[in-house]
């Protein structure tokens, strides 16, 4: 049994990997352009090498940003923590949550992600959003 005065963590999860699709597709496009420029030879090889480095930087930044973003549910709050250099958190107290909404596209249903709206907090690309909604409703109610 949980003590009433202690806050406990019930969930600490990363956002769904689908958030990596857009930045990684940009990185692939840059890499392809860089490889073509590099293969053509001088003077485009310098631009190609620069684009390859930029592609790697974009990919690493996207994965790092995804890795550093967490959705957390405690006995008192639902919040998302994000940021790499400057950490930020957006939270809502469960006691103030009247409704919990789940938004899922067809692709989201197929891949297992969606947007959860609890009070004023909206969290995109949540993995297994139905489970999160159920947990928040149980803890808020």
């Amino acid at each position: 049994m949980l003590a009433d005065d202690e806050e406990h963590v019930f969930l600490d999860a990363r956002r769904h990997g689908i958030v990596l699709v857009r930045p990684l597709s940009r990185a692939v496009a840059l890499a392809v352009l860089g490889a073509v420029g590099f293969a053509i030879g001088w003077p485009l090889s310098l631009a190609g090498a620069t684009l390859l480095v930029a592609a790697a930087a974009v990919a690493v930044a996207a994965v790092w940003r995804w890795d550093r973003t967490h959705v957390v549910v405690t006995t008192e709050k639902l919040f998302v923590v994000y940021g790499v250099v400057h950490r930020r958190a957006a939270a809502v107290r469960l006691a103030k949550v009247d409704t919990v909404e789940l938004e899922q596209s067809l692709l989201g249903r197929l891949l297992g992600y969606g947007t959860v709206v609890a009070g004023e907090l909206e969290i995109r690309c949540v993995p297994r959003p139905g489970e999160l909604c159920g947990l928040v409703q149980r803890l808020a109610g």
Side-chain angles (χ1 to χ4, degrees):
M1 191 88 185
L2 298 176
D4 290 335
D5 59 344
E6 293 182 30
E7 185 173 20
H8 294 277
V9 175
F10 283 94
L11 175 75
D12 184 352
R14 287 189 182 97
R15 289 176 36 194
H16 195 278
I18 195 75
V19 298
L20 294 172
V21 170
R22 186 175 294 152
L24 290 182
S25 62
R26 288 182 191 136
V28 168
L30 284 173
V32 168
L33 288 173
V36 168
F38 197 74
I40 290 175
W42 185 258
L44 291 181
S45 60
L46 183 60
T50 303
L51 285 173
L52 286 171
V53 169
V58 167
V60 167
V63 171
W64 194 10
R65 195 169 27 255
W66 167 79
D67 182 58
R68 303 299 300 160
T69 301
H70 289 263
V71 176
V72 180
V73 179
T74 69
T75 50
E76 297 178 13
K77 296 179 265 191
L78 164 65
F79 57 100
V80 60
V81 180
Y82 58 97
V84 177
V85 176
H86 184 75
R87 298 289 285 170
R88 292 173 283 249
V92 63
R93 289 201 164 283
L94 295 177
K96 295 187 178 202
V97 173
D98 292 328
T99 60
V100 180
E101 298 175 22
L102 169 60
E103 300 171 6
Q104 274 188 303
S105 64
L106 178 60
L107 183 62
R109 288 191 301 272
L110 291 172
L111 297 178
Y113 73 93
T115 299
V116 173
V117 180
E120 295 181 11
L121 183 62
E122 179 176 311
I123 307 171
R124 294 180 46 231
C125 299
V126 174
R128 299 179 314 278
E131 293 176 22
L132 177 64
C133 284
L135 177 62
V136 169
Q137 287 171 338
R138 279 192 310 275
L139 292 171

